[in-house]
Structures are given as C-alpha cells and as structure tokens.
Amino acid sequence: MIKVDCLVIGAGFSGATVAERFAAGRNKKVLVLEQREHIGGNAYDRTDEEGVLIHQYGPHIFHTNGARIWDYLSRFTQWRPYEHKVLAQVAGRLVPVPFNLNSLHALFPAPEAERMERLLIEQYGEGARVPILKLRDSASDHLQELADYVYRNIFLGYTIKQWNLKPEELAASVTARVPVVVSRDDRYFQDTYQAMPRDGYTVLFQRMLDHPNIEVRTGADFFELKDKIQAEHVFYTGPIDRYFDYRYGKLPYRSLKFSHSNLPQEHYQSVGTVNYPNDHDYTRITEFKHLSGQRHPHTAIVHEYPCSEGEPYYPIPCRENEQLYKRYQQLAERENRTTFVGRLGNYRYYNMDQVVAAALSCIGTPA
Ligand SMILES: Cc1cc2nc3c(=O)[nH]c(=O)nc-3n(C[C@H](O)[C@H](O)[C@H](O)COP(=O)(O)OP(=O)(O)OC[C@H]3O[C@@H](n4cnc5c(N)ncnc54)[C@H](O)[C@@H]3O)c2cc1C
C-alpha cells in the first residue's frame, strides 16, 4: 500500500496547481497520477519532428485579468508578450473576429459601412462590445441587418460545426456572448495580461511539479491503482461521471481531431488563427510560430475537426447536460475525502487562468 498525504489525479493546470501548493505551501507528500504519457494536460506542448514547437491538443493562449494568477504562474516561467489575432474567412475575405469596425468596412460597401459605424458609435459608444442579440433589438433597421449578417455569416456555420447543434439547442448564453465590437482593436482578447510561457507550457509544468515532496507517475490510470493507494485527501481532475462509474449515464462532450502538419516554408498565414465558419469540415487553422515567436525555416499548423467521439474536450453547454451534471455534483458533495476540480471535474469550460484560480481557491491556500 502506498501512503501519501495528498493524491492528485491529473497533471494539467488544475492538478499541477493543487500538487504544487500542497507540496511547497503545506509541506505535504503528494502523489500525482496522470493517465497520459506526459504532464501538462491539454496545455501540453512539444517540438515536432522538425523541431517546431506545437500544442498537441490545440492552440493554448494565456490571458488573464487576475494579477494573483499571473504572479503565481510567473514563479515558474518567464513570458513572451503575445496578443492573439484571429481572422475569419467570410465571403472570400479574411476579416477580424470578434467582428469589429475593420470587419465591417472589409465586408460592406463604404457608404453602408460608414452609416453603420456612425449608428454603432451613437447608440453604444466607442469601444462597446454589443452582443448580437442586443443588436437585433436595436431600433435601427441597419443595425438589425448587421446583427443578422454576423449571426448568419460568422456565428451560425461555426456553431453548427463546433457543436453539431443548432444555436437554439445550446444554452442562450452561447449566442448571447457573440459580440460586435465598436472599435478597430483587432486583438482577440482584451485581458490585462496576455502572453505565452517563454519556454513553453511543458517546461512550466515541469517546474511546478519539480519539488522533493511531489512524485509524478505518468501512464498511470487512477482507476487501476486506487486500491493500492491510501491518501488523506484526493483531488480528482478527471471526468466526474467516470468517477461514479457513469451511474446516471455519460455526460456529453464535444471532441476534436487535430491534424498537425509541418510545412517547408517560413510562414503559412498572417495571424495565429484563421476561422472557417462557412467552408470546409475543419473550424480553424492555427500556425504555432505566431504564438511562440520561434524562428525556423519550417512552420507547423493544425487543423481542428470537431467530432462526437474521442477525448472529452468541451462540455456541451445546454440545460439537459447541466441538470445531469448537477446529479453528479450531488454525489460529489457526499465524498468527504475527494475534491473535484477543473474542467472535467466540474464539467465546465474553463480557461487556463480560471482553472488555476479555482484550484487555488478550492484548497483555500494563498498563492
Ligand atoms: C482545443 C482547446 C483549446 C483551448 N485553448 C485555450 C486557450 O487558448 N486559452 C485558455 O486559457 N484555455 C484554453 N483551453 C482550455 C484549457 O485547455 C483548460 O482550461 C485546461 O486544460 C484545464 O486544465 P485541467 O487541469 O482542468 O484539465 P486537463 O488539462 O484536461 O487535465 C486533466 C488531466 O487529468 C488526466 N486524467 C483524467 N482522468 C484520469 C485518470 N483516471 N487517471 C489519471 N489521470 C487522469 C487527463 O489525462 C488530463 O491530463 C482550450 C481547450 C481546448 C480543448
């Protein structure tokens, strides 16, 4: 029997944060089990066969408004400033998303674009992010037309591909979030801190977990080992339904197939990510060298194909699934010695900074 103070299941951001805080902050013996052959969870990165840094599970861009999270992670990495830009291919053009005044002028004839711009500024003010549902309720026919255009050409096709659901089948919050931005700021995120770990995410994780109180076992599935381990407390960052042996049925996830390619050219596209809302089976292409700043005669890109089967990536946001999750959550609340953490443990789409924040607060330890 292996005895530890704290057993952590999963070596992604949630697990690594809990492990680091227990080991370094509380001087506890921690065992981390990770079923994959590597640490880092979905943020894992590595070099490909030509030496170009890639994100195996799709592009991960760090951004946060939380100074506490930024300071905490800065203990384990230096940063490379990076502001992500995304273009979408619409009507044969590449236009910034979220849809902004530059997209408006690229897609509409000049007089019409100018009229809409004036109306947007008058009604909502410069810099506003106006959800398209709100824009649809505008008194102006022109702005209603704009809302419909963005809905049909940017949101609808992408959403159907991404979720294989019609927007009305998804939680209203998903549509509500799609904005028209009254500005010419093409950055995808507006957070105070936007950067990439200078040496990559995997190195950041190695540093978080490099502590004499932490033992990490990769290729180790908790469910195969749990009878051999005695722990005072367990932090579980895997899928909550699996923990309870799918008692109420499987929680639905949307998965992705990542098709990575290395190309013998310096660059492939002008920005980090290009979305394809209306064409092709893939949703987007990301070129990693924009993110990493790496200089190399080759470049690496990834196409993302949404699918139903495979690794659980995105909890599907709709009421039925939320209710099913609540039933599992009630079971979880009865587990005195196990805490459910992270994206899979809480069946919620979290960004990386949010899972770090959630992990820090669930153990009640200051960073
Ligand atoms: C395509 C994609 C792009 C994303 N892009 C961004 C982005 O740009 N910016 C951003 O902030 N966030 C992004 N995210 C979200 C980010 O990936 C998550 O916030 C983060 O990975 C969650 O960390 P976690 O530790 O909770 O989960 P995970 O990273 O999923 O880690 C959980 C770990 O637990 C392991 N595990 C599960 N079950 C077991 C078991 N039985 N035994 C042992 N180990 C187990 C898993 O193998 C996994 O490694 C993206 C997500 C996806 C899918």
Side-chain angles (χ1 to χ4, degrees), residues 10 13-14 34-35 42 59-61 221-222 343 349-350 352:
F13 266 110
S14 307
E34 169 54 59
Q35 66 187 4
N42 288 337
H60 279 69
I61 292 107
D221 184 343
F222 167 61
R343 199 176 49 91
Y349 184 83
Y350 283 132
M352 295 180 280

Side-chain angles (χ1 to χ4, degrees), residues 101 104 108 111-121 142-143 145-146:
L101 297 178
L104 177 69
F108 285 81
E112 214 172 315
E114 275 156 25
R115 190 181 316 121
M116 286 178 178
E117 174 172 351
R118 243 189 345 266
L119 286 165
L120 283 167
I121 293 173
H142 298 288
L143 294 188
E145 187 197 323
L146 178 63

Side-chain angles (χ1 to χ4, degrees), residues 8-17 32-44 55 57-64 84 162 188-189 196 201 205 217 219-225 236-239 242-243 254-256 258 284 291 304 311-315 341-346 348-356 359:
V8 177
I9 318 303
F13 266 110
S14 307
T17 303
V32 179
L33 300 181
E34 169 54 59
Q35 66 187 4
R36 290 172 173 163
E37 295 300 331
H38 58 75
I39 58 172
N42 288 337
Y44 169 69
H55 297 180
Y57 305 98
H60 279 69
I61 292 107
F62 187 79
H63 57 102
T64 189
H84 194 48
Q162 175 79 0
Y188 194 70
F189 303 112
M196 302 295 292
Y201 287 102
F205 281 101
R217 293 194 191 175
D221 184 343
F222 167 61
F223 295 101
E224 285 168 14
L225 295 168
Y236 177 80
T237 76
R242 181 167 181 213
Y243 185 93
R254 194 73 176 142
S255 191
L256 289 169
F258 298 104
R284 58 181 187 172
L291 281 52
E304 291 178 39
E311 289 274 321
Y313 288 124
Y314 296 112
V341 204
R343 199 176 49 91
L344 301 165
N346 294 338
R348 177 149 314 151
Y349 184 83
Y350 283 132
N351 283 322
M352 295 180 280
D353 64 323
Q354 293 170 308
V355 295
V356 173

